[in-house]
Amino acid sequence: MALEINGQSIALDEEGYLENLSDWTPEIATALASGEDVELGDEHWDIINFLREYYEEYQIAPAVRVLTKAVGKRLGKDKGNSKYLYSLFPYGPGKQACKYAGLPKPTGCV
Amino acid sequence: MSKKFMYVNRKAPYGTVYALESLEVVLIAAAFEQDVSLAFIDDGVYQIAKGQDTKGIGMKGFSATYNALGDYDVNKFYVERESLEERGLTEDDLMPIVYEDEDDDWAEKPSVKIVSRAEMAQVLSEQDVTLSF
Amino acid sequence: MSMLHIVNKSPFERNALASCLGHALEGDSVLLIEDAVVGAIDGSNFIEQIKVAMADKSVYVLGADLAARGMQENRVAEGIQVVDYAGFVDLAANNEKTQSWL
């Protein structure tokens, strides 16, 4: 699979995740999201940016449980629950948000 | 009631795949919210040595991930003092791995606990399930 | 709360046996299988360490792995008990837990 953007071809794996994490740009995130009929707003970007920072620091994508806890701590208790995260990423916050953030699928996430 | 799971790590990282496999299993199993401990014995102490730089060997380093384990409620890292001493290492050579204690206003606390061989033997005997790597 | 410790690497090549003996507790059992059986042969460099351990622990060796390496039971040092696969199962069943030393 590949994503065509600005005349460039970006390699994706069979599930639509970036083959090379270093390819990522915000435009690619927007394009991956619009391919799934999601328009990225500020609240989506909060999560995507958080995931990228988390990956940068720990070299893994966080499990959903960890993501939920961390979002609650950073963005407020009202956002630290799976209902909020699923409202932004209906296909699953772990899978879908990690995809847009250019990260591999979280370990232990089916 | 949750069972006590122990992951015993006795190999240095990168030369074999044991260390990475152990870490991945710990991360996957963490989803089941069991009582998890890690033991670092023999060359296994090198898994949490600080300053690991894998650029020169062309492998992805994974030492940063040990610092994430606190988020997964994995915060009991037992390191054997004799194993450190035999290798000319001290606690200062290890990464300062910490976790945030949710029940104590997210206070940062050390995850690493240096124990003697005798204490390690005792800890190993108190587990319900032991996984060796 | 006894434990069965299983070692499968030659003590001439790896330190698994030494590490195992250093962590096994009184009343535990140690079973040598696969390449680890070479440590149980009388006259091997490791017999002294094994004898010390046998003061308060039991040491076993799997006969099939000895035979596969051309060693008869009479070559095993005194005090080390030779077991067959059924004996292996009994050891696993009679100890509350097992731990492998890889």
PDB file of all heavy atoms in Angstrom, chain B residues 21-54:
ATOM      1  N   GLU B  21      12.416  -9.881  23.751  1.00  0.00           N
ATOM      2  CA  GLU B  21      11.233 -10.743  23.851  1.00  0.00           C
ATOM      3  C   GLU B  21      10.593 -10.610  25.228  1.00  0.00           C
ATOM      4  O   GLU B  21       9.377 -10.506  25.367  1.00  0.00           O
ATOM      5  CB  GLU B  21      11.625 -12.208  23.647  1.00  0.00           C
ATOM      6  CG  GLU B  21      12.047 -12.527  22.227  1.00  0.00           C
ATOM      7  CD  GLU B  21      10.858 -12.818  21.331  1.00  0.00           C
ATOM      8  OE1 GLU B  21       9.981 -13.579  21.757  1.00  0.00           O
ATOM      9  OE2 GLU B  21      10.801 -12.250  20.233  1.00  0.00           O
ATOM     10  N   SER B  22      11.427 -10.605  26.258  1.00  0.00           N
ATOM     11  CA  SER B  22      10.932 -10.480  27.623  1.00  0.00           C
ATOM     12  C   SER B  22      10.157  -9.173  27.778  1.00  0.00           C
ATOM     13  O   SER B  22       9.037  -9.146  28.292  1.00  0.00           O
ATOM     14  CB  SER B  22      12.111 -10.529  28.590  1.00  0.00           C
ATOM     15  OG  SER B  22      11.678 -10.237  29.901  1.00  0.00           O
ATOM     16  N   LEU B  23      10.751  -8.093  27.305  1.00  0.00           N
ATOM     17  CA  LEU B  23      10.125  -6.773  27.418  1.00  0.00           C
ATOM     18  C   LEU B  23       8.776  -6.751  26.683  1.00  0.00           C
ATOM     19  O   LEU B  23       7.789  -6.208  27.192  1.00  0.00           O
ATOM     20  CB  LEU B  23      11.078  -5.730  26.840  1.00  0.00           C
ATOM     21  CG  LEU B  23      10.669  -4.264  26.904  1.00  0.00           C
ATOM     22  CD1 LEU B  23      10.387  -3.835  28.335  1.00  0.00           C
ATOM     23  CD2 LEU B  23      11.780  -3.390  26.316  1.00  0.00           C
ATOM     24  N   GLU B  24       8.723  -7.369  25.513  1.00  0.00           N
ATOM     25  CA  GLU B  24       7.469  -7.364  24.755  1.00  0.00           C
ATOM     26  C   GLU B  24       6.397  -8.183  25.465  1.00  0.00           C
ATOM     27  O   GLU B  24       5.228  -7.785  25.504  1.00  0.00           O
ATOM     28  CB  GLU B  24       7.708  -7.893  23.337  1.00  0.00           C
ATOM     29  CG  GLU B  24       8.616  -6.930  22.563  1.00  0.00           C
ATOM     30  CD  GLU B  24       8.456  -7.030  21.060  1.00  0.00           C
ATOM     31  OE1 GLU B  24       8.275  -8.159  20.566  1.00  0.00           O
ATOM     32  OE2 GLU B  24       8.520  -5.978  20.393  1.00  0.00           O
ATOM     33  N   VAL B  25       6.808  -9.305  26.039  1.00  0.00           N
ATOM     34  CA  VAL B  25       5.829 -10.121  26.759  1.00  0.00           C
ATOM     35  C   VAL B  25       5.325  -9.366  27.984  1.00  0.00           C
ATOM     36  O   VAL B  25       4.132  -9.385  28.296  1.00  0.00           O
ATOM     37  CB  VAL B  25       6.423 -11.489  27.158  1.00  0.00           C
ATOM     38  CG1 VAL B  25       5.431 -12.280  28.013  1.00  0.00           C
ATOM     39  CG2 VAL B  25       6.796 -12.294  25.918  1.00  0.00           C
ATOM     40  N   VAL B  26       6.225  -8.663  28.668  1.00  0.00           N
ATOM     41  CA  VAL B  26       5.819  -7.866  29.840  1.00  0.00           C
ATOM     42  C   VAL B  26       4.776  -6.827  29.423  1.00  0.00           C
ATOM     43  O   VAL B  26       3.744  -6.662  30.079  1.00  0.00           O
ATOM     44  CB  VAL B  26       7.040  -7.168  30.485  1.00  0.00           C
ATOM     45  CG1 VAL B  26       6.600  -6.131  31.500  1.00  0.00           C
ATOM     46  CG2 VAL B  26       7.956  -8.196  31.149  1.00  0.00           C
ATOM     47  N   LEU B  27       5.020  -6.157  28.307  1.00  0.00           N
ATOM     48  CA  LEU B  27       4.089  -5.120  27.846  1.00  0.00           C
ATOM     49  C   LEU B  27       2.735  -5.713  27.468  1.00  0.00           C
ATOM     50  O   LEU B  27       1.685  -5.148  27.783  1.00  0.00           O
ATOM     51  CB  LEU B  27       4.678  -4.388  26.634  1.00  0.00           C
ATOM     52  CG  LEU B  27       5.781  -3.380  26.959  1.00  0.00           C
ATOM     53  CD1 LEU B  27       6.513  -2.962  25.698  1.00  0.00           C
ATOM     54  CD2 LEU B  27       5.196  -2.160  27.651  1.00  0.00           C
ATOM     55  N   ILE B  28       2.766  -6.851  26.807  1.00  0.00           N
ATOM     56  CA  ILE B  28       1.501  -7.480  26.402  1.00  0.00           C
ATOM     57  C   ILE B  28       0.747  -7.968  27.632  1.00  0.00           C
ATOM     58  O   ILE B  28      -0.446  -7.728  27.797  1.00  0.00           O
ATOM     59  CB  ILE B  28       1.764  -8.632  25.416  1.00  0.00           C
ATOM     60  CG1 ILE B  28       2.292  -8.061  24.091  1.00  0.00           C
ATOM     61  CG2 ILE B  28       0.495  -9.448  25.190  1.00  0.00           C
ATOM     62  CD1 ILE B  28       2.902  -9.091  23.168  1.00  0.00           C
ATOM     63  N   ALA B  29       1.477  -8.641  28.525  1.00  0.00           N
ATOM     64  CA  ALA B  29       0.835  -9.207  29.710  1.00  0.00           C
ATOM     65  C   ALA B  29       0.334  -8.117  30.652  1.00  0.00           C
ATOM     66  O   ALA B  29      -0.594  -8.345  31.431  1.00  0.00           O
ATOM     67  CB  ALA B  29       1.806 -10.135  30.438  1.00  0.00           C
ATOM     68  N   ALA B  30       0.928  -6.926  30.563  1.00  0.00           N
ATOM     69  CA  ALA B  30       0.534  -5.833  31.462  1.00  0.00           C
ATOM     70  C   ALA B  30      -0.940  -5.476  31.263  1.00  0.00           C
ATOM     71  O   ALA B  30      -1.583  -4.965  32.175  1.00  0.00           O
ATOM     72  CB  ALA B  30       1.403  -4.609  31.229  1.00  0.00           C
ATOM     73  N   ALA B  31      -1.475  -5.765  30.092  1.00  0.00           N
ATOM     74  CA  ALA B  31      -2.880  -5.483  29.827  1.00  0.00           C
ATOM     75  C   ALA B  31      -3.782  -6.286  30.757  1.00  0.00           C
ATOM     76  O   ALA B  31      -4.929  -5.928  30.983  1.00  0.00           O
ATOM     77  CB  ALA B  31      -3.207  -5.807  28.371  1.00  0.00           C
ATOM     78  N   PHE B  32      -3.264  -7.386  31.323  1.00  0.00           N
ATOM     79  CA  PHE B  32      -4.092  -8.248  32.180  1.00  0.00           C
ATOM     80  C   PHE B  32      -4.030  -7.837  33.643  1.00  0.00           C
ATOM     81  O   PHE B  32      -4.629  -8.481  34.489  1.00  0.00           O
ATOM     82  CB  PHE B  32      -3.692  -9.712  31.997  1.00  0.00           C
ATOM     83  CG  PHE B  32      -3.901 -10.187  30.587  1.00  0.00           C
ATOM     84  CD1 PHE B  32      -2.868 -10.223  29.679  1.00  0.00           C
ATOM     85  CD2 PHE B  32      -5.173 -10.541  30.162  1.00  0.00           C
ATOM     86  CE1 PHE B  32      -3.075 -10.631  28.367  1.00  0.00           C
ATOM     87  CE2 PHE B  32      -5.402 -10.947  28.854  1.00  0.00           C
ATOM     88  CZ  PHE B  32      -4.350 -10.991  27.950  1.00  0.00           C
ATOM     89  N   GLU B  33      -3.320  -6.763  33.920  1.00  0.00           N
ATOM     90  CA  GLU B  33      -3.267  -6.185  35.262  1.00  0.00           C
ATOM     91  C   GLU B  33      -2.985  -7.198  36.359  1.00  0.00           C
ATOM     92  O   GLU B  33      -3.738  -7.333  37.314  1.00  0.00           O
ATOM     93  CB  GLU B  33      -4.564  -5.398  35.553  1.00  0.00           C
ATOM     94  CG  GLU B  33      -4.797  -4.331  34.506  1.00  0.00           C
ATOM     95  CD  GLU B  33      -5.897  -3.343  34.877  1.00  0.00           C
ATOM     96  OE1 GLU B  33      -6.049  -3.079  36.078  1.00  0.00           O
ATOM     97  OE2 GLU B  33      -6.568  -2.847  33.966  1.00  0.00           O
ATOM     98  N   GLN B  34      -1.880  -7.930  36.186  1.00  0.00           N
ATOM     99  CA  GLN B  34      -1.437  -8.843  37.231  1.00  0.00           C
ATOM    100  C   GLN B  34      -0.367  -8.137  38.060  1.00  0.00           C
ATOM    101  O   GLN B  34       0.040  -7.027  37.747  1.00  0.00           O
ATOM    102  CB  GLN B  34      -0.863 -10.116  36.599  1.00  0.00           C
ATOM    103  CG  GLN B  34      -1.850 -10.887  35.744  1.00  0.00           C
ATOM    104  CD  GLN B  34      -2.930 -11.581  36.547  1.00  0.00           C
ATOM    105  OE1 GLN B  34      -2.769 -11.832  37.738  1.00  0.00           O
ATOM    106  NE2 GLN B  34      -4.047 -11.879  35.905  1.00  0.00           N
ATOM    107  N   ASP B  35       0.055  -8.813  39.128  1.00  0.00           N
ATOM    108  CA  ASP B  35       1.125  -8.281  39.966  1.00  0.00           C
ATOM    109  C   ASP B  35       2.460  -8.718  39.345  1.00  0.00           C
ATOM    110  O   ASP B  35       2.839  -9.875  39.450  1.00  0.00           O
ATOM    111  CB  ASP B  35       0.956  -8.844  41.380  1.00  0.00           C
ATOM    112  CG  ASP B  35       2.081  -8.415  42.303  1.00  0.00           C
ATOM    113  OD1 ASP B  35       3.024  -7.742  41.842  1.00  0.00           O
ATOM    114  OD2 ASP B  35       2.016  -8.755  43.492  1.00  0.00           O
ATOM    115  N   VAL B  36       3.127  -7.794  38.657  1.00  0.00           N
ATOM    116  CA  VAL B  36       4.307  -8.147  37.873  1.00  0.00           C
ATOM    117  C   VAL B  36       5.601  -7.674  38.534  1.00  0.00           C
ATOM    118  O   VAL B  36       5.673  -6.540  39.007  1.00  0.00           O
ATOM    119  CB  VAL B  36       4.208  -7.536  36.452  1.00  0.00           C
ATOM    120  CG1 VAL B  36       5.496  -7.757  35.669  1.00  0.00           C
ATOM    121  CG2 VAL B  36       3.018  -8.126  35.711  1.00  0.00           C
ATOM    122  N   SER B  37       6.586  -8.555  38.567  1.00  0.00           N
ATOM    123  CA  SER B  37       7.935  -8.183  39.002  1.00  0.00           C
ATOM    124  C   SER B  37       8.930  -8.584  37.924  1.00  0.00           C
ATOM    125  O   SER B  37       8.690  -9.532  37.180  1.00  0.00           O
ATOM    126  CB  SER B  37       8.324  -8.923  40.290  1.00  0.00           C
ATOM    127  OG  SER B  37       7.434  -8.633  41.328  1.00  0.00           O
ATOM    128  N   LEU B  38      10.041  -7.862  37.858  1.00  0.00           N
ATOM    129  CA  LEU B  38      11.123  -8.231  36.958  1.00  0.00           C
ATOM    130  C   LEU B  38      12.366  -8.492  37.795  1.00  0.00           C
ATOM    131  O   LEU B  38      12.635  -7.759  38.746  1.00  0.00           O
ATOM    132  CB  LEU B  38      11.430  -7.105  35.959  1.00  0.00           C
ATOM    133  CG  LEU B  38      10.272  -6.463  35.198  1.00  0.00           C
ATOM    134  CD1 LEU B  38      10.815  -5.428  34.206  1.00  0.00           C
ATOM    135  CD2 LEU B  38       9.469  -7.506  34.453  1.00  0.00           C
ATOM    136  N   ALA B  39      13.109  -9.544  37.428  1.00  0.00           N
ATOM    137  CA  ALA B  39      14.382  -9.812  38.089  1.00  0.00           C
ATOM    138  C   ALA B  39      15.493  -9.666  37.066  1.00  0.00           C
ATOM    139  O   ALA B  39      15.357 -10.129  35.933  1.00  0.00           O
ATOM    140  CB  ALA B  39      14.387 -11.220  38.680  1.00  0.00           C
ATOM    141  N   PHE B  40      16.567  -9.013  37.468  1.00  0.00           N
ATOM    142  CA  PHE B  40      17.736  -8.861  36.600  1.00  0.00           C
ATOM    143  C   PHE B  40      18.918  -9.527  37.291  1.00  0.00           C
ATOM    144  O   PHE B  40      19.400  -9.050  38.331  1.00  0.00           O
ATOM    145  CB  PHE B  40      18.009  -7.380  36.312  1.00  0.00           C
ATOM    146  CG  PHE B  40      16.878  -6.728  35.555  1.00  0.00           C
ATOM    147  CD1 PHE B  40      15.834  -6.129  36.233  1.00  0.00           C
ATOM    148  CD2 PHE B  40      16.831  -6.771  34.169  1.00  0.00           C
ATOM    149  CE1 PHE B  40      14.761  -5.554  35.547  1.00  0.00           C
ATOM    150  CE2 PHE B  40      15.782  -6.208  33.468  1.00  0.00           C
ATOM    151  CZ  PHE B  40      14.744  -5.593  34.158  1.00  0.00           C
ATOM    152  N   ILE B  41      19.342 -10.656  36.714  1.00  0.00           N
ATOM    153  CA  ILE B  41      20.379 -11.502  37.308  1.00  0.00           C
ATOM    154  C   ILE B  41      21.439 -11.758  36.242  1.00  0.00           C
ATOM    155  O   ILE B  41      21.145 -11.767  35.047  1.00  0.00           O
ATOM    156  CB  ILE B  41      19.757 -12.852  37.767  1.00  0.00           C
ATOM    157  CG1 ILE B  41      18.582 -12.617  38.736  1.00  0.00           C
ATOM    158  CG2 ILE B  41      20.801 -13.762  38.411  1.00  0.00           C
ATOM    159  CD1 ILE B  41      17.809 -13.885  39.079  1.00  0.00           C
ATOM    160  N   ASP B  42      22.679 -12.009  36.687  1.00  0.00           N
ATOM    161  CA  ASP B  42      23.787 -12.308  35.761  1.00  0.00           C
ATOM    162  C   ASP B  42      23.877 -11.196  34.701  1.00  0.00           C
ATOM    163  O   ASP B  42      23.692 -10.031  35.026  1.00  0.00           O
ATOM    164  CB  ASP B  42      23.611 -13.707  35.151  1.00  0.00           C
ATOM    165  CG  ASP B  42      23.613 -14.801  36.233  1.00  0.00           C
ATOM    166  OD1 ASP B  42      24.254 -14.584  37.271  1.00  0.00           O
ATOM    167  OD2 ASP B  42      22.961 -15.833  36.053  1.00  0.00           O
ATOM    168  N   ASP B  43      24.128 -11.555  33.439  1.00  0.00           N
ATOM    169  CA  ASP B  43      24.277 -10.515  32.413  1.00  0.00           C
ATOM    170  C   ASP B  43      22.988  -9.718  32.194  1.00  0.00           C
ATOM    171  O   ASP B  43      23.006  -8.673  31.535  1.00  0.00           O
ATOM    172  CB  ASP B  43      24.700 -11.147  31.072  1.00  0.00           C
ATOM    173  CG  ASP B  43      26.148 -11.592  31.074  1.00  0.00           C
ATOM    174  OD1 ASP B  43      26.908 -11.152  31.960  1.00  0.00           O
ATOM    175  OD2 ASP B  43      26.522 -12.380  30.189  1.00  0.00           O
ATOM    176  N   GLY B  44      21.891 -10.186  32.734  1.00  0.00           N
ATOM    177  CA  GLY B  44      20.612  -9.478  32.616  1.00  0.00           C
ATOM    178  C   GLY B  44      20.670  -8.062  33.163  1.00  0.00           C
ATOM    179  O   GLY B  44      19.904  -7.194  32.729  1.00  0.00           O
ATOM    180  N   VAL B  45      21.600  -7.802  34.094  1.00  0.00           N
ATOM    181  CA  VAL B  45      21.701  -6.444  34.666  1.00  0.00           C
ATOM    182  C   VAL B  45      22.028  -5.419  33.573  1.00  0.00           C
ATOM    183  O   VAL B  45      21.678  -4.247  33.695  1.00  0.00           O
ATOM    184  CB  VAL B  45      22.734  -6.341  35.809  1.00  0.00           C
ATOM    185  CG1 VAL B  45      22.331  -7.238  36.985  1.00  0.00           C
ATOM    186  CG2 VAL B  45      24.134  -6.683  35.334  1.00  0.00           C
ATOM    187  N   TYR B  46      22.672  -5.873  32.492  1.00  0.00           N
ATOM    188  CA  TYR B  46      23.014  -4.947  31.409  1.00  0.00           C
ATOM    189  C   TYR B  46      21.781  -4.437  30.660  1.00  0.00           C
ATOM    190  O   TYR B  46      21.849  -3.443  29.946  1.00  0.00           O
ATOM    191  CB  TYR B  46      23.975  -5.604  30.414  1.00  0.00           C
ATOM    192  CG  TYR B  46      25.415  -5.520  30.841  1.00  0.00           C
ATOM    193  CD1 TYR B  46      26.052  -6.614  31.407  1.00  0.00           C
ATOM    194  CD2 TYR B  46      26.120  -4.334  30.694  1.00  0.00           C
ATOM    195  CE1 TYR B  46      27.371  -6.531  31.822  1.00  0.00           C
ATOM    196  CE2 TYR B  46      27.445  -4.239  31.098  1.00  0.00           C
ATOM    197  CZ  TYR B  46      28.074  -5.342  31.661  1.00  0.00           C
ATOM    198  OH  TYR B  46      29.365  -5.243  32.062  1.00  0.00           O
ATOM    199  N   GLN B  47      20.653  -5.110  30.810  1.00  0.00           N
ATOM    200  CA  GLN B  47      19.441  -4.663  30.111  1.00  0.00           C
ATOM    201  C   GLN B  47      19.019  -3.269  30.556  1.00  0.00           C
ATOM    202  O   GLN B  47      18.431  -2.519  29.784  1.00  0.00           O
ATOM    203  CB  GLN B  47      18.287  -5.652  30.337  1.00  0.00           C
ATOM    204  CG  GLN B  47      18.537  -6.998  29.685  1.00  0.00           C
ATOM    205  CD  GLN B  47      17.399  -7.964  29.902  1.00  0.00           C
ATOM    206  OE1 GLN B  47      16.270  -7.571  30.197  1.00  0.00           O
ATOM    207  NE2 GLN B  47      17.672  -9.249  29.755  1.00  0.00           N
ATOM    208  N   ILE B  48      19.301  -2.932  31.827  1.00  0.00           N
ATOM    209  CA  ILE B  48      18.872  -1.627  32.322  1.00  0.00           C
ATOM    210  C   ILE B  48      20.065  -0.721  32.624  1.00  0.00           C
ATOM    211  O   ILE B  48      19.966   0.223  33.397  1.00  0.00           O
ATOM    212  CB  ILE B  48      17.925  -1.740  33.544  1.00  0.00           C
ATOM    213  CG1 ILE B  48      18.553  -2.595  34.640  1.00  0.00           C
ATOM    214  CG2 ILE B  48      16.581  -2.318  33.126  1.00  0.00           C
ATOM    215  CD1 ILE B  48      17.762  -2.540  35.950  1.00  0.00           C
ATOM    216  N   ALA B  49      21.204  -1.016  31.977  1.00  0.00           N
ATOM    217  CA  ALA B  49      22.361  -0.126  32.088  1.00  0.00           C
ATOM    218  C   ALA B  49      22.039   1.194  31.396  1.00  0.00           C
ATOM    219  O   ALA B  49      21.336   1.215  30.386  1.00  0.00           O
ATOM    220  CB  ALA B  49      23.586  -0.768  31.445  1.00  0.00           C
ATOM    221  N   LYS B  50      22.542   2.308  31.966  1.00  0.00           N
ATOM    222  CA  LYS B  50      22.224   3.591  31.335  1.00  0.00           C
ATOM    223  C   LYS B  50      23.190   3.897  30.199  1.00  0.00           C
ATOM    224  O   LYS B  50      24.272   3.310  30.103  1.00  0.00           O
ATOM    225  CB  LYS B  50      22.173   4.711  32.363  1.00  0.00           C
ATOM    226  CG  LYS B  50      23.458   5.080  33.045  1.00  0.00           C
ATOM    227  CD  LYS B  50      23.153   6.231  34.023  1.00  0.00           C
ATOM    228  CE  LYS B  50      24.285   6.420  35.019  1.00  0.00           C
ATOM    229  NZ  LYS B  50      23.846   7.157  36.213  1.00  0.00           N
ATOM    230  N   GLY B  51      22.772   4.824  29.329  1.00  0.00           N
ATOM    231  CA  GLY B  51      23.638   5.256  28.237  1.00  0.00           C
ATOM    232  C   GLY B  51      23.742   4.274  27.090  1.00  0.00           C
ATOM    233  O   GLY B  51      24.699   4.314  26.334  1.00  0.00           O
ATOM    234  N   GLN B  52      22.775   3.382  26.931  1.00  0.00           N
ATOM    235  CA  GLN B  52      22.827   2.425  25.819  1.00  0.00           C
ATOM    236  C   GLN B  52      22.668   3.171  24.493  1.00  0.00           C
ATOM    237  O   GLN B  52      21.703   3.898  24.293  1.00  0.00           O
ATOM    238  CB  GLN B  52      21.729   1.362  25.961  1.00  0.00           C
ATOM    239  CG  GLN B  52      21.914   0.483  27.185  1.00  0.00           C
ATOM    240  CD  GLN B  52      20.792  -0.541  27.344  1.00  0.00           C
ATOM    241  OE1 GLN B  52      20.270  -1.061  26.369  1.00  0.00           O
ATOM    242  NE2 GLN B  52      20.425  -0.812  28.585  1.00  0.00           N
ATOM    243  N   ASP B  53      23.621   2.975  23.600  1.00  0.00           N
ATOM    244  CA  ASP B  53      23.612   3.660  22.305  1.00  0.00           C
ATOM    245  C   ASP B  53      23.815   2.606  21.218  1.00  0.00           C
ATOM    246  O   ASP B  53      24.905   2.061  21.062  1.00  0.00           O
ATOM    247  CB  ASP B  53      24.747   4.688  22.274  1.00  0.00           C
ATOM    248  CG  ASP B  53      24.862   5.379  20.925  1.00  0.00           C
ATOM    249  OD1 ASP B  53      24.033   5.097  20.028  1.00  0.00           O
ATOM    250  OD2 ASP B  53      25.785   6.192  20.760  1.00  0.00           O
ATOM    251  N   THR B  54      22.759   2.315  20.474  1.00  0.00           N
ATOM    252  CA  THR B  54      22.814   1.206  19.513  1.00  0.00           C
ATOM    253  C   THR B  54      23.059   1.671  18.085  1.00  0.00           C
ATOM    254  O   THR B  54      22.998   0.856  17.162  1.00  0.00           O
ATOM    255  CB  THR B  54      21.500   0.397  19.556  1.00  0.00           C
ATOM    256  OG1 THR B  54      20.414   1.279  19.282  1.00  0.00           O
ATOM    257  CG2 THR B  54      21.289  -0.237  20.919  1.00  0.00           C
TER     258      THR B  54
END
